[in-house]
Amino acid sequence: MSTDQQTRLSGSKSEMASVKQRGMGWSLALLALAQLIYGLDINIVFVALPEIGHGLGFSEQSLQWVVSAYTVFCGGFLLLGGRAADMLGQKRMFIFALVLYALSSLLGGLAWDPLVIIIARAIQGIGAAFLFPATLSLINRLFEEGPRRNRALAVWGGAGASGLTIGSILGGVLTNAFGWEAVFLVNVPLAGIVALAALFVIPRDKRRKQKRYFDIPGAATVTAGATLLVYVLVQGPELGWASTEMIICAALSLILLSIFALIEIRSTAPLMSIHLFRNRSLAASMVITFIYMGTFGALPYFLTTLFQNVHGYSALQTGLAFIIPSLAIAAGTQLGERLATRLEARSTLLIGMIIGIVGTILIPLGAYTDSSYLMIVPGLVISGIGQGITWTAMWITASDGVAPEDQGVASGMASTTLNIGNAIGLAILIAIANSGTHQLTGEAFRQALAGGNRTAIYLAALGILLGALVALFLPRKRKV
């Protein structure tokens, strides 16, 4: 081969690599946009709840189902969504979930009755349960383990943090300008455009060399059992843990999940392979995601209560107050990627959690009735950076050593414990925070609520310390 031919061949290979890299960049952009939509949808409805209740005639007791329907069905379908991504194709499930998001958002925006909007929110929750593991497993498939995947996870995590902020602000702006319907309808073009672009940008799913069978009994029992479990965790504080409904649902959940475990042990094609629990990195990550959302993930609730009920902020002011912590979290995700590339993920997790503990302990300094927003900013910034670092490292460890054909269900397993951790953490911390506020009004109520919030935040910091101790059990491995 002549020198000219070698030069042309080298240039051709370089050009192909450049085209492939640009394609991966566009794929990552779409995956990040999907995560932004996921984050946006979590917060955008909160601000509009009073208007939804007034417009559709909800009672005070039933209005919470606009939020709970989403949480219950998302938590119940996550494992099924993860395995569906493995079995039916990650790209297919990614697009399917976005279409489900768009259609359910359209139904929500056109809702004429409380039941209709609750059904729409339940379908949105199912869409989220398919979207989250599909997005995460696509990242783990398209970007090889190491610096490239770390960087992709940081971009994905930063987009999710941005979505939470945008959701808080956009919810207030849209509700004030166009009414509560707009917080649903805005998702229709967003999800639709990303789904359409994904058809052409995201690489096609790999063909499977051998036929794999879907574990229908396992899928039915775990989805029903997990849905009932999340329902109990969400409704327990409202209806009372000892109520007949809660006891029956908890018993049914335990029975169904026990049947699921038996099915998986005996099945030749299990929905969730038992061998995945032998992966120390994944098993520890599931515990860490549980603790993360029960501690870090509970902070926005108490910050919202502090801003609105103690300091008297409006919905829009509350959204603006979340800009600083959200920017800090986004910055933390990028720092987490750099740390995980230079250090092992275990060390990165410990650094993130230690920073998070320090910041979370500082937050209550601004949690008094006469405190200014500036007093709480240092804690919000430091805690946010710690959260971002932990978030990136947490998902790196969850995918470490997992075979490509199991990435979806591994993501579903970790995100299921994430969801359940948030429900349990909030239930416990809210009960503690509100224990001294009963039958109080006016200034006495504000003082008691501020004190309860401080206690809950300190307990969250203690929980993060527990997460750091769990991280010590992660296996020491090469740099990731």
Side-chain angles (χ1 to χ4, degrees), residues 59-89:
S59 67
E60 286 296 325
Q61 291 75 28
S62 61
L63 182 59
Q64 59 148 342
W65 269 103
V66 177
V67 175
S68 298
Y70 180 96
T71 304
V72 167
F73 281 86
C74 179
F77 279 76
L78 275 165
L79 194 56
L80 177 60
R83 181 47 92 192
D86 290 332
M87 299 289 295
L88 305 177

Side-chain angles (χ1 to χ4, degrees), residues 216-231:
I216 295 176
T221 51
V222 75
T223 301
T227 302
L228 283 169
L229 175 60
V230 179
Y231 173 76

Side-chain angles (χ1 to χ4, degrees), residues 140-436:
N140 292 332
R141 174 170 72 86
L142 297 178
F143 300 90
E144 67 270 19
E145 190 174 334
R148 287 180 183 272
R149 184 183 293 176
N150 297 352
R151 197 171 300 116
L153 285 169
V155 171
W156 170 77
S162 300
L164 294 173
T165 304
I166 294 171
S168 297
I169 300 171
L170 197 60
V173 171
L174 290 175
T175 302
N176 290 335
F178 305 105
W180 63 263
E181 296 89 346
V183 304
F184 288 92
L185 296 177
V186 71
N187 271 333
V188 178
L190 287 176
I193 290 169
V194 175
L196 183 63
L199 285 170
F200 303 98
V201 173
I202 294 179
R204 68 178 60 184
D205 295 314
K206 291 182 179 179
R207 290 185 178 180
R208 303 206 176 273
K209 296 179 181 179
Q210 58 183 28
K211 188 175 181 180
R212 299 179 69 186
Y213 297 94
F214 199 82
D215 179 13
I216 295 176
T221 51
V222 75
T223 301
T227 302
L228 283 169
L229 175 60
V230 179
Y231 173 76
V232 169
L233 295 173
V234 170
Q235 291 294 104
E238 183 74 20
L239 301 179
W241 297 106
S243 66
T244 303
E245 183 178 341
M246 290 298 96
I247 292 172
I248 292 173
C249 288
L252 284 174
S253 173
L254 181 61
I255 292 168
L256 287 167
L257 292 175
S258 298
I259 294 172
F260 168 70
L262 291 174
I263 290 171
E264 297 309 283
I265 291 171
R266 299 178 181 181
S267 176
T268 56
L271 180 76
M272 184 179 69
S273 301
I274 302 300
H275 78 269
L276 286 172
F277 287 102
R278 300 192 193 107
N279 182 324
R280 277 179 58 194
S281 185
L282 174 60
S285 293
M286 289 173 65
V287 178
I288 291 170
T289 59
F290 178 91
I291 293 172
Y292 180 97
M293 280 306 287
T295 55
F296 280 135
L299 292 180
Y301 172 87
F302 294 103
L303 290 174
T304 301
T305 303
L306 177 68
F307 293 148
Q308 292 188 334
N309 297 345
V310 176
H311 295 318
Y313 291 5
S314 68
L316 185 57
Q317 286 174 320
T318 300
L320 293 172
F322 273 104
I323 290 178
I324 287 179
S326 297
L327 289 175
I329 293 171
T333 60
Q334 309 310 304
L335 180 57
E337 176 263 316
R338 289 171 173 79
L339 287 171
T341 300
R342 289 168 174 76
L343 308 170
E344 60 180 2
R346 177 176 179 269
S347 300
T348 304
L349 271 173
L350 289 170
I351 291 170
M353 288 181 176
I354 290 169
I355 292 173
I357 291 168
V358 173
T360 303
I361 289 173
L362 292 176
I363 289 175
L365 297 179
Y368 292 86
T369 54
D370 58 350
S371 298
S372 69
Y373 180 71
L374 290 177
M375 291 184 67
I376 205 171
V377 166
L380 293 179
V381 171
I382 297 171
S383 178
I385 291 172
Q387 287 180 58
I389 293 171
T390 305
W391 178 265
T392 300
M394 186 170 75
W395 294 111
I396 291 171
T397 57
S399 64
D400 189 29
V402 178
E405 64 270 17
D406 288 326
Q407 284 289 351
V409 74
S411 300
M413 289 164 66
S415 49
T416 297
T417 55
L418 188 87
N419 193 282
I420 293 174
N422 186 236
I424 292 178
L426 271 175
I428 294 172
L429 293 177
I430 289 173
I432 293 170
N434 293 342
S435 60

Side-chain angles (χ1 to χ4, degrees), residues 99-122:
V99 170
L100 206 57
Y101 247 116
L103 293 176
S104 58
S105 296
L106 180 62
L107 179 63
L110 299 176
W112 60 91
D113 182 82
L115 180 60
V116 174
I117 203 167
I118 289 172
I119 291 172
R121 286 292 284 169

Side-chain angles (χ1 to χ4, degrees), residues 81 84-86 88-98 130-131 134 205:
D86 290 332
L88 305 177
Q90 296 152 344
K91 178 179 178 178
R92 289 190 188 92
M93 288 300 101
F94 179 77
I95 294 171
F96 166 76
L98 287 166
F130 280 85
L131 182 64
D205 295 314

